[in-house]
């Protein structure tokens, strides 16, 4: 039997795979809900999460799965709002008790009477954000190029314009990858080796640009250790 984690995007998958390797856990990170990171413009839909859960039914009935994890961004929702969202999706697919907290398993059951355990976690920093918010928090290299965006943001706001924090964090990480952590050799293939579109390369070859001991990762580590 195996343990499976459902993630929201392909970049979440690359990051969580690296975390799993760091913790030396036996967890399979499933195909992401969204292949294109920029597809879910309005956030994760119930329809897509329900579909991802339904795709696991056959594996559960074959007793190939013991534990299931769901990792999605908290974005600007409260933890309780996110829990209610996930709980609604679970109950559309399985017989299950109510999901009342993160990092805690509930029992689920398919229509054929096969049982498994399920828990969820919401990617966040200080109760808000998404993957890029976390990446910005755990950067391990000096980041003069990316940090200068603070002055740019101040300038934008002085012109009575806005950039929301979500977009700013994405921009910050893209500059960090492109200018603060990209070698001269990698610069020749910057799109593939120094960007979020090439995040698979980053997470395979440049793990040291992140601080894997940063306290911001402690909750996520605790969640993944439930599957170890």
């Amino acid at each position: 039997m195996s343990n499976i984690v459902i993630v929201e995007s392909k970049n979440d998958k690359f990051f969580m795979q690296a975390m799993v390797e760091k913790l030396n856990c036996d967890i399979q990170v499933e195909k992401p809900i969204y292949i294109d990171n920029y597809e879910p413009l309005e956030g994760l839909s119930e329809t897509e999460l329900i579909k991802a859960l339904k795709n696991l039914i056959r594996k559960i009935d074959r007793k190939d799965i013991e534990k299931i994890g769901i990792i999605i961004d908290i974005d600007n929702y409260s933890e309780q709002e996110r829990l209610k969202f996930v709980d609604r999706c679970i109950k559309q697919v399985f017989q299950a008790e109510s999901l009342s907290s993160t990092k805690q398993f509930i029992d689920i059951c398919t229509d054929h009477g096969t049982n498994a355990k399920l828990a969820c976690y919401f990617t966040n920093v200080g109760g808000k954000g998404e993957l890029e918010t976390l990446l910005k928090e755990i950067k391990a290299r000096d980041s003069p190029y990316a940090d200068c965006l603070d002055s740019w943001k101040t300038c934008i706001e002085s012109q009575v314009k806005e950039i929301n924090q979500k977009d700013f964090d994405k921009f910050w990480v893209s500059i960090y990858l492109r200018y603060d952590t990209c070698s001269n050799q990698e610069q020749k293939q910057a799109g593939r080796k120094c960007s979020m579109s090439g995040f698979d390369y980053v997470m395979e070859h440049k793990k040291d640009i992140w601080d894997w001991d940063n306290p911001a990762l402690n909750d996520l580590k605790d969640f993944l250790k439930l599957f170890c």
Side-chain angles (χ1 to χ4, degrees):
M1 298 180 76
S2 64
N3 300 319
I4 282 179
V5 170
I6 298 171
V7 295
E8 195 166 338
S9 74
K10 63 182 178 66
N11 286 342
D12 291 306
K13 177 179 172 71
F14 300 140
F15 182 77
M16 295 306 166
Q17 283 177 328
M19 281 292 305
V20 166
E21 290 169 10
K22 287 284 183 183
L23 295 173
N24 194 28
C25 290
D26 181 18
I27 306 172
Q28 176 184 336
V29 183
E30 278 285 278
K31 185 177 92 170
I33 295 172
Y34 293 108
I35 302 301
D36 180 352
N37 277 19
Y38 295 95
E39 181 183 345
L41 297 177
E42 300 302 323
L44 179 63
S45 73
E46 287 190 21
T47 302
E48 295 300 329
L49 181 52
I50 288 169
K51 183 166 68 174
L53 291 170
K54 285 182 176 178
N55 287 339
L56 299 179
I57 291 175
R58 185 175 298 178
K59 291 181 181 179
I60 295 172
D61 282 335
R62 290 200 308 255
K63 298 187 177 180
D64 292 337
I65 299 176
E66 181 180 7
K67 297 175 182 176
I68 300 165
I70 299 173
I71 301 177
I72 62 174
D73 298 333
I74 199 166
D75 289 322
N76 290 317
Y77 297 96
S78 70
E79 182 174 295
Q80 284 303 311
E81 287 172 328
R82 257 335 197 193
L83 283 167
K84 288 178 182 178
F85 167 81
V86 175
D87 192 56
R88 287 196 303 270
C89 296
I90 293 168
K91 289 181 176 177
Q92 290 290 317
V93 182
F94 303 109
Q95 301 170 43
E97 56 190 301
S98 293
L99 190 67
S100 59
S101 64
T102 61
K103 299 186 295 181
Q104 184 174 343
F105 283 116
I106 62 170
D107 293 317
I108 61 173
C109 184
T110 70
D111 289 340
H112 290 92
T114 314
N115 295 310
K117 292 187 177 297
L118 184 148
C120 70
Y121 178 79
F122 308 131
T123 304
N124 76 95
V125 176
K128 297 291 181 183
E130 56 179 352
L131 176 63
E132 281 85 354
T133 315
L134 184 60
L135 293 175
K136 183 172 180 285
E137 186 73 13
I138 67 168
K139 64 97 177 182
R141 300 273 184 90
D142 289 338
S143 51
Y145 285 95
D147 289 341
C148 279
L149 290 174
D150 288 330
S151 297
W152 171 82
K153 185 172 184 288
T154 299
C155 178
I156 289 291
E157 291 168 348
S158 74
Q159 302 299 316
V160 199
K161 302 291 183 182
E162 290 185 8
I163 179 167
N164 63 46
Q165 193 62 44
K166 180 186 180 84
D167 289 339
F168 181 79
D169 289 345
K170 287 181 180 292
F171 194 19
W172 191 99
V173 172
S174 71
I175 297 299
Y176 178 67
L177 294 179
R178 177 67 174 81
Y179 295 103
D180 290 314
T181 66
C182 198
S183 69
N184 290 336
Q185 187 64 31
E186 288 169 335
Q187 293 274 5
K188 297 175 183 178
Q189 301 180 66
R192 190 170 73 83
K193 297 182 177 181
C194 308
S195 70
M196 289 303 284
S197 62
F199 200 55
D200 52 340
Y201 175 90
V202 172
M203 294 312 300
E204 183 176 354
H205 299 283
K206 303 168 68 173
K207 292 186 182 73
D208 62 327
I209 70 172
W210 314 114
D211 174 12
W212 297 97
D213 295 319
N214 193 293
L217 293 173
N218 287 348
D219 276 352
L220 175 57
K221 289 177 181 178
D222 288 344
F223 175 73
L224 292 174
K225 286 175 183 177
L226 295 174
F227 300 82
C228 293

